Amino acid sequence: MSDMPQFALRFISGKYQGGEFPLRKNREIIIGRSSDLDMVLVEDMVSRRHAKIATTDNEVYISDMGSTNGTFVNGEKITRSRIQEGDRILVGTSIIKMVAVDPSANAHQSEAEARRRLEAGANRQGTVGRPMSGVIEEIPLPDLLQLLSTSRKSGVLSVSGVVGVGRIYLRNGAIYFAAINDDFNVSPQKAIYRMLTWESGTFELEPGGEMNVMEEIQESTEGLLMEGVRQIDEFRNMQKQLPSPHSALAVPTPVAGKLRDLSHGELDIFQLVLDHGQLQAILDNYWGSDLDAAKNLVALMKREFVVVP
């Protein structure tokens, strides 16, 4: 049948999380808060007539219908855009992913049934004050932060991963502070770069008041993400030259050379080895980035100023 759905809109965050809506060929779907529309999303940030999705035989397009808060595709505010499998759409606080489906398995699900399931799912989860939430496997943190930046969201993004809980503080889409496990000795930039490496976990964006901090992050979100990805790639390339995070490190006696020959960064790492003697503690207490700490440590190890006992 020509009207069998080949794609669906899957809600991966927000009050309708887990729901799906089939996309049939040569069909237009209106999304909005008004109860008489094809896809009804009942939340304050969704306009009465928010967006339109139009499908042809081979393509799918989404258009914003002059909504108050805008429609976003992969972190970019759009007027009209073609969407493809894997693309992520933000409408209100719902992040929606376009996914391929088995036409035969979804042929009998009507749009009316999809609407009922969306509504039932939202009611089960409780809709009042429900934050934007989801899993990192569905939307990696760099993509999520880009989306929140472009849509100028404010609040606290809590990210739960295998090493603890990170919090990223946003004001109109701009990141102004971050911490992991409330450890304020680690710089906010370093905390963000570390969180960008988390490949599993959950997130929630909750509205919250401003946090007073001594020094706010000045870099743009886009700048932070670009620098973070660059540092992560370089750090991963260096990891084979580093001991494991909890390995002991030591300074041999006698010292392998003249301390005056070391750079300022190498001297700082040398001191941290004496003070802490463990890679993770050295990374945590170094004033600069994990990448700079690793470079200085590798340089010291090559010259045998620092050894693994």
Side-chain angles (χ1 to χ4, degrees):
M1 292 176 61
S2 62
D3 66 341
M4 281 187 177
Q6 293 182 310
F7 296 101
L9 299 177
R10 176 180 297 161
F11 288 75
I12 62 175
S13 175
K15 64 190 278 187
Y16 299 97
Q17 185 178 341
E20 284 194 7
F21 196 95
L23 295 179
R24 303 183 184 279
K25 291 183 177 181
N26 301 306
R27 173 84 167 91
E28 283 191 352
I29 294 170
I30 306 297
I31 304 171
R33 201 172 69 247
S34 181
S35 61
D36 60 347
L37 301 182
D38 305 299
M39 184 191 294
V40 181
L41 304 182
V42 183
E43 58 169 288
D44 292 341
M45 294 188 68
V46 175
S47 296
R48 289 182 62 80
R49 295 172 64 84
H50 196 106
K52 176 175 69 176
I53 292 181
T55 63
T56 66
D57 283 339
N58 301 307
E59 297 178 335
V60 182
Y61 290 88
I62 185 168
S63 304
D64 185 76
M65 301 183 72
S67 66
T68 302
N69 293 296
T71 302
F72 301 83
V73 175
N74 298 330
E76 294 187 8
K77 191 173 185 178
I78 61 97
T79 301
R80 183 175 186 267
S81 175
R82 183 184 176 190
I83 52 176
Q84 303 179 71
E85 182 182 353
D87 285 347
R88 298 180 183 92
I89 303 160
L90 176 67
V91 174
T93 62
S94 292
I95 302 175
I96 309 165
K97 185 177 182 180
M98 184 162 142
V99 297
V101 297
D102 179 355
S104 61
N106 290 272
H108 302 296
Q109 182 183 4
S110 67
E111 292 178 6
E113 182 180 355
R115 283 196 296 272
R116 285 195 298 271
R117 289 184 176 183
L118 284 178
E119 182 179 356
N123 289 335
R124 279 196 306 273
Q125 297 183 60
T127 62
V128 178
R130 180 173 170 79
M132 180 188 289
S133 62
V135 295
I136 297 173
E137 291 90 335
E138 283 278 15
I139 178 164
L141 199 54
D143 295 349
L144 177 62
L145 288 171
Q146 184 64 51
L147 202 62
L148 298 177
S149 172
T150 312
S151 56
R152 300 179 62 81
K153 295 285 193 261
S154 296
V156 182
L157 181 67
S158 295
V159 187
S160 298
V162 293
V163 299
V165 177
R167 290 184 174 85
I168 299 174
Y169 297 82
L170 297 139
R171 181 192 300 121
N172 296 323
I175 300 171
Y176 66 92
F177 193 72
I180 298 173
N181 296 329
D182 294 329
D183 182 359
F184 301 118
N185 292 318
V186 174
S187 74
Q189 288 92 339
K190 187 183 291 188
I192 291 169
Y193 298 158
R194 290 182 180 181
M195 279 186 267
L196 292 178
T197 67
W198 296 0
E199 296 179 347
S200 63
T202 61
F203 68 85
E204 283 192 0
L205 177 67
E206 298 181 348
E210 294 272 331
M211 181 178 183
N212 294 320
V213 296
M214 292 290 292
E215 188 173 345
E216 294 190 356
I217 294 174
Q218 300 300 316
E219 297 97 318
S220 67
T221 298
E222 184 176 355
L224 281 170
L225 294 178
M226 290 179 63
E227 178 62 15
V229 170
R230 182 192 71 81
Q231 289 198 21
I232 289 165
D233 287 343
E234 285 196 42
F235 188 87
R236 283 174 174 163
N237 289 334
M238 294 190 65
Q239 275 186 316
K240 58 187 177 184
Q241 303 176 64
L242 295 169
S244 64
H246 301 293
S247 295
L249 295 168
V251 172
T253 303
V255 177
K258 303 294 186 184
L259 294 182
R260 65 170 175 264
D261 294 333
L262 301 180
S263 68
H264 291 302
E266 289 169 344
L267 278 171
D268 288 340
I269 293 296
F270 186 86
Q271 182 67 57
L272 289 172
V273 172
L274 291 173
D275 291 344
H276 300 284
Q278 187 188 68
L279 176 58
Q280 189 60 56
I282 291 166
L283 295 175
D284 288 346
N285 286 276
Y286 184 65
W287 61 269
S289 68
D290 287 342
L291 176 61
D292 287 340
K295 286 180 177 179
N296 288 317
L297 178 59
V298 167
L300 291 172
M301 293 178 70
K302 285 181 176 178
R303 293 152 66 189
E304 297 185 345
F305 278 91
V306 173
V307 297
V308 178

